[in-house]
Amino acid sequence: MSLSIKNPIAEVGRLDPPTRLLCGPGPGNAHPRVHAAMSIPQIGHMDPAFLDIVEDLKKLLRYAWQTENVFTIPVSGTGSAAWEAAVANVTSPGDIHLTCVSGYFGERHCDMASRYGADVRRIEKPWGEVFTLDEIKKAVAEHKPQVLWICYAETSTGARQPLDGIADVCHANNCLFMLDTVTAIGGVPLFLDKSGVDICYAGTQKCLSCPPGVAPLTIGPRALKKMEDRAAKGEKVANWYLDMTMIQKYIVAPEGAPRVYHHTAPISMVYAMREALTLIAEEGLENCWKRHQETAEYFWGLIEAAGMEMLIPNKEHRLPSLHTVKVPQGIDAGKVVKHMREKFQIEIGGGLGAQLSGKVWRIGLMGYNSRKEVALTIVAALKDALVAQGWKPKA
Amino acid sequence: MSLSIKNPIAEVGRLDPPTRLLCGPGPGNAHPRVHAAMSIPQIGHMDPAFLDIVEDLKKLLRYAWQTENVFTIPVSGTGSAAWEAAVANVTSPGDIHLTCVSGYFGERHCDMASRYGADVRRIEKPWGEVFTLDEIKKAVAEHKPQVLWICYAETSTGARQPLDGIADVCHANNCLFMLDTVTAIGGVPLFLDKSGVDICYAGTQKCLSCPPGVAPLTIGPRALKKMEDRAAKGEKVANWYLDMTMIQKYIVAPEGAPRVYHHTAPISMVYAMREALTLIAEEGLENCWKRHQETAEYFWGLIEAAGMEMLIPNKEHRLPSLHTVKVPQGIDAGKVVKHMREKFQIEIGGGLGAQLSGKVWRIGLMGYNSRKEVALTIVAALKDALVAQGWKPKA
């Protein structure tokens, strides 16, 4: 046989992406040392030396999340894959998922959980607000869920959900506490064990300064018990790639036990995540959090000094990683995004979803990009884009 | 709150993987230019420049697979994720999956399809053999499947399945032809459209010289029709992360249509795959295939000259990418693998599954590693390991 599809090389040329400062909702720019780690020639996924690297990664990840969970691993996909792994492994058909929706990602959880036969119940707040413990208590009493899902750091709104007391409510009602920490891990104070979280996932491309392509997942004792109970009943996980009962034999086997192949791990991304977590440990977790908070406060100050306003009035409910800035009246939000990208090679994000589209920008100062000089640059470029639309900055 | 999980940095030290020659069943060593592509700072997954890069990748991938399918994309996971995407999107509960099992990966398909409610029917051959068209015809007539799954390149056995006539049998019986090309794409002659394949996936870490972490998927018109019919009936894909009806709006939108965010793509891995496919287009697809065949024949010659034997007697049924060498009598296969790794930093694979474990080695000469000097090195090291167990090479 001969080729019928012609060689496109003359048409496509070589890979030549532009250089951007990434201050949208993520990915942020990865740390140069993380890119360097990806350029190290890989080894095999069953190589004892690779399994040692994964063991080191697991220790570093437990530190970043402040958890003792043995089952704390890199999942072979982006953050949403780790999320779906959490859902698929602890959801039996008919399980009630109480979903706290105050942004785009709450909507996603409803959709995702429904794919696994969950009976999804939702409580809602306007996007950008957080839930009170009383609201959560009432909803748990009413719905008697098997799983409560809430987002610690809503990437669509910039809101930071207080976690105090949620675990007690869940555990008094035999309910698993599932937490989304995608835009928090490494940048926002987070104590998984002290907060009583049962199952949790995150992304690498936000405060971890690592490209997307591998994602953190941790499963605590209560959630593991649920997985074991399901397995004992002969209930298979309705997802092969993310079946943690199989992956456990590969990556969480007890010391000395044989490692059983499941799927090929994304080796270079594991190197990247290992290096990203090393950077956090070198800086010290509390110093990382402090840096994010200081950069955030500096940024908020610049925004307000310029005469703009943050979406979330209460600073305690604002994330220090992802910032929602209100679009001033009369300004075309999309044009500003385009201006910043085309004139300055800067990426910021627009609003996501019906409630916030066109009404806010989402500006990430996360991980490697959580630096005062980045905040300064972003605000200067934002002002330039606004002035181009006739807006007058206060300062 | 204060930290309860101590900083493990002193314990884990820095990332320092060994340097290995990877000639197992995969991953093989990635091409240095592919690693270089991963070190390019990333841009955002919604950036128009990124979407352009994906368009170029799609063209290159269509060339490598010899298909005109519009829906030809990188999936955000390793090869098994692309596989599960194929299964999840075209399988309605109760659909009959006729699965041709002659190796480990046939077993995997049975397991995976069953997670989506498929009625799995299997035909079997001893591992290492291939199916005849007559056997396939009879089975299709008997089982009347909605999907026929077969593996073109069985990574567990090194067998190359002839494809002639399979599509005609499938299409005459209103059955989709699903093909596994994980260890074939880029290294083994493959004409998806001419072979009438309806849905197909692959891996990057074999003949594409790219690390795992992103994987090729293509969906032809018949399979797309099935997806549309399912959607029209209100049947949701039972997997959110791999829901191609949603991903279509992000990555296969018609020109000029808005791109809808689904999940964050693994940017650096997409760069890697783009560069890997560029290398194939630069070399020319037929030259790639020829190089693999020539390296394979050189390797087989060396093996036989040394007095060893290949598992598959008929050269036409041997893959030119992944080679199964019989373990000589009295030799401990695992010790040889260890000897090669520890003395020479070379990875080869052992046999996988009950039928072949301990009986063969799996040696990959794929992509960047499909070179005569690599074949020579492997055979020399293998002989050294055998001699250490008292074996006498013929030459």
Side-chain angles (χ1 to χ4, degrees), chain B residues 201-280:
Chain B
Y201 55 87
T204 54
Q205 72 273 20
K206 318 273 183 173
C207 306
L208 294 186
S209 315
C210 176
V214 63
L217 172 72
T218 185
I219 308 180
R222 286 184 195 83
L224 279 176
K225 175 75 169 51
K226 172 77 181 260
M227 284 166 54
E228 284 158 16
D229 290 349
R230 293 185 67 202
K233 284 189 278 184
E235 226 181 78
K236 270 198 178 180
V237 176
N239 186 315
W240 186 89
Y241 187 64
L242 301 174
D243 182 345
M244 291 298 144
T245 65
M246 296 174 86
I247 289 168
Q248 190 166 27
K249 291 175 191 150
Y250 167 52
I251 217 174
V252 203
E255 196 159 343
R259 301 297 191 120
V260 182
Y261 162 61
H262 179 256
H263 68 267
T264 304
I267 317 286
S268 298
M269 292 310 309
V270 170
Y271 286 10
M273 185 170 166
R274 200 293 194 191
E275 187 69 5
L277 290 166
T278 303
L279 284 159
I280 286 185

Side-chain angles (χ1 to χ4, degrees), chain B residues 50-375:
Chain B
F50 179 70
L51 297 168
D52 285 347
I53 288 169
V54 173
E55 288 306 308
D56 289 340
L57 182 156
K58 285 155 69 177
K59 285 174 196 153
L60 289 158
L61 183 53
R62 287 186 197 112
Y63 168 66
W65 252 336
Q66 289 293 297
T67 180
E68 289 183 357
N69 291 343
V70 173
F71 204 122
T72 300
I73 67 159
V75 170
S76 306
T78 59
S80 299
W83 185 347
E84 188 147 354
V87 170
N89 283 275
V90 301
T91 306
S92 295
D95 276 359
I96 294 170
H97 272 238
L98 177 63
T99 308
C100 304
V101 181
S102 57
Y104 178 88
F105 293 93
E107 299 289 347
R108 178 180 293 181
H109 185 78
C110 295
D111 186 6
M112 200 186 270
S114 75
R115 313 277 175 131
Y116 293 87
D119 175 356
V120 177
R121 313 283 177 92
R122 41 196 294 158
I123 52 173
E124 296 193 48
K125 295 281 276 198
W127 288 25
E129 293 189 16
V130 298
F131 291 87
T132 66
L133 187 56
D134 263 354
E135 290 164 341
I136 291 170
K137 261 186 199 162
K138 268 182 212 153
V140 168
E142 182 189 341
H143 295 289
K144 302 187 181 19
Q146 275 74 44
V147 176
L148 177 137
W149 179 92
I150 202 162
C151 189
Y152 181 43
E154 241 298 347
T155 317
S156 67
T157 68
R160 175 180 176 180
Q161 170 67 47
L163 303 179
D164 284 354
I166 298 179
D168 291 341
V169 176
C170 288
H171 299 154
N173 289 276
N174 200 22
C175 165
L176 295 176
F177 179 14
M178 186 183 290
L179 188 67
D180 180 315
T181 64
V182 170
T183 304
I185 188 171
V188 192
L190 190 51
F191 302 85
L192 281 200
D193 284 0
K194 288 187 178 172
S195 296
V197 176
D198 295 312
I199 187 161
C200 181
Y201 55 87
T204 54
Q205 72 273 20
K206 318 273 183 173
C207 306
L208 294 186
S209 315
C210 176
V214 63
L217 172 72
T218 185
I219 308 180
R222 286 184 195 83
L224 279 176
K225 175 75 169 51
K226 172 77 181 260
M227 284 166 54
E228 284 158 16
D229 290 349
R230 293 185 67 202
K233 284 189 278 184
E235 226 181 78
K236 270 198 178 180
V237 176
N239 186 315
W240 186 89
Y241 187 64
L242 301 174
D243 182 345
M244 291 298 144
T245 65
M246 296 174 86
I247 289 168
Q248 190 166 27
K249 291 175 191 150
Y250 167 52
I251 217 174
V252 203
E255 196 159 343
R259 301 297 191 120
V260 182
Y261 162 61
H262 179 256
H263 68 267
T264 304
I267 317 286
S268 298
M269 292 310 309
V270 170
Y271 286 10
M273 185 170 166
R274 200 293 194 191
E275 187 69 5
L277 290 166
T278 303
L279 284 159
I280 286 185
E282 285 177 5
E283 183 175 0
L285 186 55
E286 286 168 309
N287 293 331
C288 268
W289 294 342
K290 190 159 164 265
R291 173 167 55 82
H292 279 79
Q293 189 65 34
E294 285 173 359
T295 304
E297 285 175 15
Y298 178 68
F299 175 75
W300 301 337
L302 292 175
I303 286 290
E304 279 153 20
M308 285 177 278
E309 214 182 322
M310 300 298 295
L311 174 70
I312 298 170
N314 182 345
K315 285 188 186 179
E316 289 187 3
H317 295 161
R318 280 184 205 164
L319 289 172
S321 47
L322 191 279
H323 312 285
T324 37
V325 178
K326 282 191 186 173
V327 176
Q329 226 164 5
I331 295 294
D332 180 328
K335 266 193 193 162
V336 167
V337 171
K338 204 170 170 217
H339 180 106
M340 290 182 71
R341 184 176 67 231
E342 293 183 353
K343 185 164 178 188
F344 299 117
Q345 303 292 325
I346 291 174
E347 176 173 283
I348 64 167
L352 190 62
Q355 291 190 33
L356 293 178
S357 180
K359 291 174 192 151
V360 298
W361 293 291
R362 293 181 298 151
I363 295 175
L365 298 168
M366 306 188 281
Y368 181 57
N369 282 351
S370 171
R371 288 177 280 141
K372 288 200 180 68
E373 60 272 32
V374 176

